[in-house]
Amino acid sequence: MSSRQITIIANWKANLPPSEEVALAKEIAEGVGGALQATGSPSSFRVLLAPSALGLVPVASLLRREYPQAGIEVAAQDSSLSSAGAFTGEIPAVHLVGIAPAVIVGHSERRRDHGESDEVVGGKLARVVAAGLAPILCLGDDLPEAEIATRVAYVEAQCAAAFAAAERAGCSADQLFAAGLVAAYEPVWAIGTGNPASVEIAEAIASGLRSALHRNELPVLYGGSVDAASAPTWFGTPTRRTALDGLLVGGASLHADRFVAIVRAALAATEPA
Ligand code: 13P
């Protein structure tokens, strides 16, 4: 049985106002808290909720105040390339300290809608690490018809470009790993389409990234049209786990029952046979 930790992240994107994010967090904490208590093995398991920037503080305080036993944390969906200072409207990573232990960096929607280049993604990684937070680096191809090898090469190159840019911004690969870097493979063609990648593709990407980076322990998550019905397939069984370490869930995480079902499926994969 693998001892790898499983991480399940809800990315709520810009779907809900903060009041509704708090209500959703409450429902999820009630469902997930029970599931975690039932297994008794929460240390091999992590659940993070990524609300909008406005929802971070109220959701984090709700979880701490009312559901400390559920062990659910928050993650930021993004942080700025800028440091703290005279940068109107920015959210520097250092301001997330004490609120969100982890930050999503390089989501394809940021790359697409805000023109975030690999250089920007690497600079953000460096800021997140300098703040003492853990980066969740999103990577993904926009090649729906490609062969697996082409896809793997694309994602490896995208990852290498982000690492090189982080290095130029003063953050080495060793520092990224020491900060608790998690990679998330989110193929652009699978996000919000109802058409997830196959487990075979996601596993090939996970293995490719680990061998390219010489880091067998790198956690790799999958994201893109994950839903409750398909959740068990991403983990395998307790005796034969897949190469994946968790899921980054968009649309389905906006429904407490669907997200809790995904968490339960993940828990089932970590329970002793
Ligand atoms: P969907 O689960 O809605 O496809 O979104 C995935 C995603 O982008 C998570 O970051």
Side-chain angles (χ1 to χ4, degrees):
M1 188 170 69
S2 169
S3 59
R4 303 181 89 111
Q5 188 179 53
I6 283 191
T7 302
I8 310 289
I9 306 175
N11 179 5
W12 293 340
K13 309 188 179 183
N15 282 291
L16 303 171
S19 58
E20 288 178 34
E21 291 180 316
V22 168
L24 179 57
K26 209 172 164 62
E27 255 191 283
I28 289 174
E30 278 163 16
V32 168
L36 285 177
Q37 271 163 10
T39 68
S41 63
S43 63
S44 60
F45 209 82
R46 244 182 135 190
V47 177
L48 294 108
L49 306 181
S52 63
L54 291 175
L56 276 170
V57 170
V59 169
S61 24
L62 169 92
L63 294 171
R64 268 180 222 147
R65 202 179 52 240
E66 292 185 34
Y67 302 97
Q69 76 293 347
I72 302 175
E73 300 160 282
V74 299
Q77 293 177 15
D78 183 38
S79 62
S80 298
L81 184 58
S82 68
S83 60
F87 304 105
T88 303
E90 295 295 341
I91 302 177
V94 73
H95 288 181
L96 295 167
V97 173
I99 301 168
V103 183
I104 296 172
V105 179
H107 193 283
S108 62
E109 287 155 12
R110 304 272 336 153
R111 295 180 193 252
R112 180 194 67 201
D113 301 336
H114 300 273
E116 286 193 7
S117 60
D118 293 322
E119 202 61 33
V120 169
V121 170
K124 287 187 172 191
L125 286 174
R127 292 281 184 205
V128 168
V129 171
L133 307 175
I136 299 155
L137 171 60
C138 292
L139 302 164
D141 59 88
D142 198 1
L143 310 166
E145 307 298 339
E147 298 291 325
I148 290 186
T150 310
R151 243 181 251 295
V152 171
Y154 181 98
V155 174
E156 282 176 13
Q158 194 181 38
C159 184
F163 270 56
E167 180 94 48
R168 283 192 286 282
C171 177
S172 68
D174 282 348
Q175 286 172 304
L176 282 167
F177 293 116
L181 176 79
V182 171
Y185 173 55
E186 293 211 308
V188 175
W189 46 270
I191 296 178
T193 60
N195 173 35
S198 66
V199 176
E200 186 192 5
I201 291 176
E203 285 194 292
I205 299 280
S207 311
L209 284 172
R210 290 184 188 122
S211 68
L213 295 167
H214 307 291
R215 292 280 176 163
N216 195 37
E217 73 279 15
L218 174 73
V220 183
L221 316 185
Y222 169 76
S225 294
V226 168
D227 208 344
S230 67
T233 59
W234 298 104
F235 302 106
T237 65
T239 46
R240 201 181 171 286
R241 288 260 304 270
T242 65
L244 300 168
D245 301 295
L247 297 169
L248 182 46
V249 188
S253 73
L254 295 165
H255 307 269
D257 56 341
R258 285 157 70 182
F259 187 68
V260 170
I262 290 167
V263 171
R264 285 179 190 274
L267 274 168
T270 60
E271 278 172 13

